[in-house]
Amino acid sequence: MKNFILLFLLFSVACESKSDYQNSMNLDIESTKLLENISLTAESTSTALISNGEMVSVTEKGQIVIYSIDGNQIKVLDKKGEGELELKNPTLVSTFEDGFLVWCRDLLKMVAFDSEGNPIEEYFGFNHSIKKFVVKENLIFTYINTLVDKPFIQIYDMEEGRIIKEIGNTVNEQLISNLNSCGGGITLYNDQIVFASSNSLNLYVVEGDEYQIKEIEISDLDFIELKISEDAENLINSSQRKAIEMSLGRAVITGLFQVGQDLILLGEVGEMTISGGALNSKNRKSFIWKIDKEFNIIGKYFYDLDPSISCKLVSSHGDFLARIVQRQGEEEMDYYLEQLQLSTVLENQTLVKG
């Protein structure tokens, strides 16, 4: 049973029955091999583009690596530990205006670094494990896994050193979709926080000093939402296999980013079957959708699900969307930084509005 669940999490099972998907965008990829010119590094667990054109990556062994745009290591930091400005188990990284923040899962704290990789401050007072986070001025907006009818967005004030607000409301379907390790998304879009739950295309904009939520309804025939009538928490606790099977045939959101003046929504759709304990993902598709400032889907790109492309290793800054991927080299697996450029093929095509 454990192996079955592990496979489920690895391949991010959340599927749908339709397999004939139409692209309305081209995807151009510029690939750069990541070098180990300073130190050998482990597999990346999270990455972010820094404002100066560089990239920072956190590895499964706790290294923090800063790369130049041409793939060279600029600096490799080892801040492992439980002391001041140290990280026992760093797992996530996100940028802010003058540097980047790294989340420590074991110590439930964040350490801020300047753009050159020097640690400058640490923040305590978090009470929950974090899936994703973004920074706006002195606030950290975190996306967390939580229970039904509980807020899944927490707002942390760096000046006060505490969580000042919790928003959003987790629903049954979202709890099931959150079995996907990348489920959901959050980004800073035109100076507003926008987030998406794992189970729905709808987007949510945080507005005003009281952090009210404005829901933007979006629908699309390619995205079939999970609908359940059972209590998701009880279902997961009593029958994990059934919970997994209920998610089959439905779609999932795995990321949300601003690129240029548009939003980029990442996710997965398509049929996946289980036979003999193995997953068949040949009809499973990953997608990249472009959404304009009016919250219309203006472009779609589908591609076969590729286990070597981790949804945790996608980031954006300015006009760039980028990801770290693993590819087979001559003697071993190599890692590459891929910069993605999406261009619309079909003009004035109505793809959405719910």
Side-chain angles (χ1 to χ4, degrees):
M1 183 61 180
K2 290 182 178 179
N3 290 337
F4 180 85
I5 295 172
L6 180 60
L7 282 170
F8 171 77
L9 295 175
L10 177 63
F11 283 93
S12 307
V13 178
C15 325
E16 90 179 273
S17 59
K18 188 175 179 180
S19 60
D20 185 18
Y21 301 104
Q22 299 297 317
N23 286 339
S24 61
M25 291 190 298
N26 283 330
L27 177 64
D28 299 319
I29 300 175
E30 181 180 338
S31 184
T32 303
K33 183 178 178 179
L34 297 180
L35 305 176
E36 295 180 318
N37 49 292
I38 295 178
S39 174
L40 298 176
T41 57
E43 185 174 348
S44 295
T45 62
S46 180
T47 186
L49 296 176
I50 308 176
S51 59
N52 57 14
E54 298 167 352
M55 181 190 71
V56 59
S57 172
V58 175
T59 77
E60 62 181 10
K61 290 188 177 180
Q63 301 157 307
I64 301 169
V65 188
I66 301 177
Y67 291 95
S68 65
I69 200 66
D70 59 4
N72 282 291
Q73 294 174 342
I74 298 174
K75 185 177 290 187
V76 179
L77 309 173
D78 187 359
K79 299 300 295 180
K80 291 272 289 188
E82 299 184 38
E84 184 177 3
L85 299 178
E86 291 182 331
L87 300 146
K88 184 178 180 181
N89 186 14
T91 55
L92 296 173
V93 60
S94 187
T95 59
F96 60 95
E97 184 176 0
D98 299 317
F100 57 90
L101 277 165
V102 179
W103 165 251
C104 179
R105 182 171 58 191
D106 288 3
L107 300 178
L108 296 182
K109 76 172 185 178
M110 291 191 188
V111 175
F113 296 79
D114 64 22
S115 60
E116 296 182 353
N118 302 305
I120 53 179
E121 187 60 85
E122 59 185 5
Y123 302 100
F124 296 93
F126 299 92
N127 60 11
H128 209 289
S129 183
I130 293 173
K131 290 172 67 72
K132 302 173 182 182
F133 70 95
V134 293
V135 182
K136 179 184 178 182
E137 299 171 349
N138 65 307
L139 300 177
I140 304 172
F141 290 76
T142 65
Y143 188 113
I144 66 175
N145 261 339
T146 186
L147 301 179
V148 173
D149 293 329
K150 300 291 184 180
F152 62 95
I153 301 293
Q154 293 184 331
I155 306 172
Y156 180 93
D157 190 308
M158 290 187 282
E159 294 179 354
E160 297 186 19
R162 64 183 182 91
I163 296 168
I164 60 171
K165 187 83 172 181
E166 295 182 317
I167 58 177
N169 183 56
T170 303
V171 298
N172 273 296
E173 291 81 1
Q174 184 180 357
L175 194 62
I176 297 295
S177 296
N178 279 352
L179 291 172
N180 182 303
S181 61
C182 290
I186 187 166
T187 192
L188 182 62
Y189 179 60
N190 293 336
D191 206 38
Q192 288 185 303
I193 296 296
V194 181
F195 64 87
S197 65
S198 55
N199 64 297
S200 170
L201 274 181
N202 291 351
L203 299 179
Y204 304 86
V205 180
V206 181
E207 298 183 325
D209 295 336
E210 298 299 319
Y211 311 109
Q212 300 299 311
I213 297 175
K214 176 183 178 182
E215 182 175 3
I216 309 295
E217 294 187 2
I218 300 177
S219 62
D220 190 273
L221 295 177
D222 284 321
F223 194 96
I224 301 176
E225 295 185 16
L226 172 68
K227 299 294 184 183
I228 65 174
S229 57
E230 300 182 51
D231 181 276
E233 184 180 350
N234 290 336
L235 179 63
I236 292 173
N237 290 334
S238 63
S239 179
Q240 289 180 319
R241 185 184 182 101
K242 184 178 179 181
I244 292 169
E245 290 174 343
M246 288 184 66
S247 71
L248 299 178
R250 296 298 179 262
V252 64
I253 298 300
T254 60
L256 182 65
F257 303 91
Q258 176 170 359
V259 178
Q261 294 303 308
D262 299 315
L263 280 167
I264 298 296
L265 191 65
L266 307 183
E268 297 172 9
V269 293
E271 182 183 6
M272 187 179 298
T273 58
I274 303 172
S275 179
L279 295 176
N280 180 354
S281 61
K282 68 178 182 180
N283 294 320
R284 182 73 167 164
K285 299 291 184 181
S286 297
F287 67 75
I288 305 174
W289 290 357
K290 184 185 288 188
I291 299 174
D292 67 13
K293 62 182 179 180
E294 303 298 329
F295 297 101
N296 294 304
I297 299 176
I298 58 173
K300 297 183 178 184
Y301 186 84
F302 297 96
Y303 58 97
D304 292 339
L305 179 67
D306 184 349
S308 69
I309 301 176
S310 170
C311 50
K312 293 184 177 181
L313 299 181
V314 183
S315 59
S316 68
H317 192 279
D319 293 330
F320 294 99
L321 182 70
R323 66 192 182 195
I324 294 178
V325 301
Q326 190 179 37
R327 304 294 187 205
Q328 181 64 53
E330 293 182 1
E331 298 181 356
E332 60 183 2
M333 299 298 289
D334 294 322
Y335 292 91
Y336 290 83
L337 172 65
E338 292 186 345
Q339 295 187 63
L340 311 180
Q341 180 66 45
L342 294 159
S343 56
T344 302
V345 177
L346 306 177
E347 299 292 343
N348 301 321
Q349 180 179 12
T350 301
L351 296 172
V352 70
K353 193 75 174 184

